[in-house]
Amino acid sequence: MSETSHAEGRTFPPPEQLAAHANAGPEVYDEAAADRLAFWEKAARRLTWTQEWDEVLDWSNPPFAKWFVGGKLNVAYNCVDRHVEDGHGDQVAYFWEGEPADDTRTITYAGLKDEISKAANALLDLGVQAGDRVAIYMPMIPETIIAMLACARIGAVHMVVFGGFSADALASRLDDSGAVLVITSDGGYRRGAPSALKPAVDDAVGRSPGVRNVIVVKRTGQDVDWSEGRDLWWDDVVDRQSTEHEPESFDAEHPLYIMYTSGTTAKPKGILHTTGGYLTQVAYTHWATFDLKPDDDVYWTAADVGWVTGHSYIVYGPLANRATSVMYEGTPETPHRGRWWEIVQKYGVTILYTAPTVIRTFMKWGEDVPKDFDLSSLRVLGSVGEPINPEAWLWYHEHIGGGRCPITDTWWQTETGAHMITPLPGVTSLVPGSAQFPFPGISAKVVDDEGNELSDDSTGLLVLTDPWPAMLRTIWGDDDRYVDTYWSRFGKNVYFAGDGAKKDADGNIWLLGRVDDVMNVSGHRISTTEVESSLVGHPSVAEAAVVGASDPTTGQGIVAFVILRESGTDSGDELVQTLRNHVARDIGPIAKPRQIMVVQELPKTRSGKIMRRLLRDIAENRELGDVTTLTDDSVMNMIKEKLPAAPSED
Ligand code: WT7
């Protein structure tokens, strides 16, 4: 398979000014290579510990790691109190921007400390103890962060469930985690209208006898059903509390949170993160990957707190580094398509971190939208969640970054907790479309099915060959599944990430999507991502999703679903042929899609991932599988109605 589908040709060296003052220069790679554990130990010293560790890493019982063994610290103290003690209490921690116009709040570090202390006291009053699980099912409002940090402060384990999830999803997570308390709100704003949350909590908690109380934040003023004795208003239980709370130190391996993520079976996996190693790596990566300067930058992760990106890079990393952040409640098109750029302009955002799927949506809306706003404050851009195709990379670089901002394409997972493969903005010459190099102190390889390393552009599997501080410690309540899922394919010392990848001659790592998304066509491995990238490289295509459908002759056949750009291109047979030939030219005849279907929408999870599994069901004419994690399940009916009777032959 040719490299040319990726090769944009150009590389982008770091801006001189940035390189000259970068937090992380080339020396960090050397330091980490010389002594990995000493490197992470130094990163840990950026935090405040109340007790020194005895050992940096205990890997005597793989794959169960212990980092900073014997060390003690309090996460909330590290994220907030110490900055106030250092004289930065007046610094803004969050500029919060609600979706309704003029609905804003500014929260300083001192203010945040008071609110977290009050919430911590309220949780203690309700009998929540260290180690108890507290569910948080909230919109993007400051109380969500306050609730998370209040849990961390008292050693309770938070379990945030994205507010877009259904009552069923919430119920199964309450049950699996054994939550004793739920923190929620009456509702939140979504696309210009209040959207209720409390009814789903009532439904889910009704099935979860372990939940003793539900704390409800008033956000929208919607009517709510009330269960006397169980339900409590946040204002009633939190506002009356003292702003004094003495943080207790917890063991470095004390559980910090559980975050559920979908696996290959129906039952979601409760990924467990702990205290010291997690905070060390999220804080250090946030500082290095984005070159965060706490006195100057205005940082914005445009994601939901309900995902790991929000946990690590809206909450823990930025706060540990004393960042000033933007937090936005709503959607990018409410009330207009320039809302994000208006926010960048208003707060002078300097660092923006978002996902390729959003960037492609902006591309679809056209460059005239951002053009009307002053984006000159931006200096570093980030990308996360899926491979960023070179076209989207270049669009982001030019139309958002004004051609001057490095883009850090960060590969990581809920399981890894923090960045694992990424360029560094002051060091790396960027190659559009590649996440490039393992972060200093991280060992990543591309291997074949037998575990032999590949570095010649051939497609293989991504593995992590040494434990890292922010790694998951287990799957909640299921050590066996933890071992089976991640540490059995190549033995107990090698983490199997589930991603296809290849490494080129310059050492750049190209992520190729989940391995179940790597197709095998006539014995050739072709990445769905590669074909998608080619399709969106065609001027008439806005978005594309590709699946491998089983095929009697070739093993798998390539089936593509495409959304056309708005400018009303012809969607007939002729265009389909043009696109098939375009891909064949771009990647090679082997990659020519068997079938291309023009659709209006693609089925996506609430985190914006395309649900290829469902598209595969359609391509193979099967009954649809589980659709409960879709944002909008009517999308599937729309697609089915559009289907041609038989695949087009060539
Ligand atoms: C999977 C993890 C990391 C937080 C958001 C997603 C894919 C993530 C990239 C990237 C290529 C990426 C991988 C990974 N992925 N970032 N920069 N380039 N692929 O977290 O839901 O746990 O998903 O997302 O396939 O395995 P997640």
Side-chain angles (χ1 to χ4, degrees), residues 308-309 385-387 409-414 499 511 514 609:
V308 75
T309 304
E386 55 178 314
D409 174 5
T410 60
W411 179 89
W412 58 296
Q413 308 175 300
T414 305
D499 277 41
L511 278 313
R514 304 291 305 178
K609 275 202 180 21

Side-chain angles (χ1 to χ4, degrees), residues 30 115 148 168 191 281 361-362 478 487 507 632 640:
D30 303 332
E115 293 307 314
M148 290 165 73
D168 282 353
R191 299 206 156 80
Q281 194 178 336
T361 303
F362 290 135
D478 201 344
W487 306 92
D632 175 6
K640 279 203 293 195

Side-chain angles (χ1 to χ4, degrees), residues 158-431:
H158 62 70
M159 193 273 288
V160 179
V161 179
F162 175 56
F165 271 136
S166 64
D168 282 353
L170 178 59
S172 71
R173 286 159 173 75
L174 292 176
D175 177 55
D176 190 74
S177 66
V180 298
L181 184 110
V182 179
I183 304 176
T184 189
S185 73
D186 48 0
Y189 287 92
R190 204 93 199 127
R191 299 206 156 80
S195 147
L197 284 174
K198 180 74 165 40
V201 174
D202 291 335
D203 179 343
V205 170
R207 299 180 245 165
S208 309
V211 176
R212 299 191 301 256
N213 291 107
V214 176
I215 300 180
V216 187
V217 177
K218 204 172 280 171
R219 165 70 187 129
T220 57
Q222 287 164 290
D223 283 341
V224 290
D225 286 344
W226 206 253
S227 167
E228 275 316 320
R230 185 196 73 185
D231 296 352
L232 304 159
W233 287 110
W234 172 279
D235 288 350
D236 290 342
V237 292
V238 173
D239 280 2
R240 62 184 157 85
Q241 300 290 339
S242 158
T243 55
E244 297 301 314
H245 175 269
E246 191 62 39
E248 189 188 331
S249 295
F250 293 98
D251 192 271
E253 285 298 338
H254 186 77
L256 178 61
Y257 70 81
I258 303 168
M259 166 111 266
Y260 284 85
T261 182
S262 44
T264 47
T265 68
K267 189 178 179 331
K269 300 175 286 193
I271 304 301
L272 179 70
H273 284 293
T274 61
T275 297
Y278 174 79
L279 196 64
T280 294
Q281 194 178 336
V282 296
Y284 186 81
T285 51
H286 178 256
W287 178 81
T289 304
F290 299 119
D291 192 44
L292 188 277
K293 303 282 198 283
D295 295 324
D296 305 321
D297 280 315
V298 178
Y299 175 83
W300 184 17
T301 291
D304 197 284
V305 175
W307 306 110
V308 75
T309 304
H311 281 48
S312 297
Y313 299 105
I314 295 177
V315 183
Y316 291 113
L319 290 177
N321 288 326
R322 186 172 48 85
T324 293
S325 291
V326 167
M327 180 185 194
Y328 173 52
E329 179 184 36
T331 43
E333 69 270 49
T334 309
H336 57 81
R337 289 176 169 184
R339 188 68 198 272
W340 276 28
W341 318 122
E342 189 175 68
I343 292 172
V344 169
Q345 173 178 287
K346 175 174 176 185
Y347 296 105
V349 171
T350 58
I351 305 168
L352 174 67
Y353 190 32
T354 187
T357 178
V358 191
I359 296 162
R360 288 194 299 267
T361 303
F362 290 135
M363 285 174 77
K364 195 164 70 179
W365 294 343
E367 65 230 38
D368 286 351
V369 179
K371 211 180 63 206
D372 287 341
F373 299 90
D374 180 2
L375 306 182
S376 62
S377 55
L378 289 169
R379 66 182 196 92
V380 178
L381 302 174
S383 174
V384 61
E386 55 178 314
I388 178 165
N389 50 296
E391 289 72 22
W393 196 104
L394 290 168
W395 191 92
Y396 193 28
H397 190 256
E398 183 177 342
H399 297 293
I400 305 304
R404 65 181 184 277
C405 307
I407 298 176
T408 53
D409 174 5
T410 60
W411 179 89
W412 58 296
Q413 308 175 300
T414 305
E415 290 88 340
T416 70
H419 299 162
M420 300 297 283
I421 302 177
T422 176
L424 290 180
V427 182
T428 315
S429 272
L430 305 171
V431 178

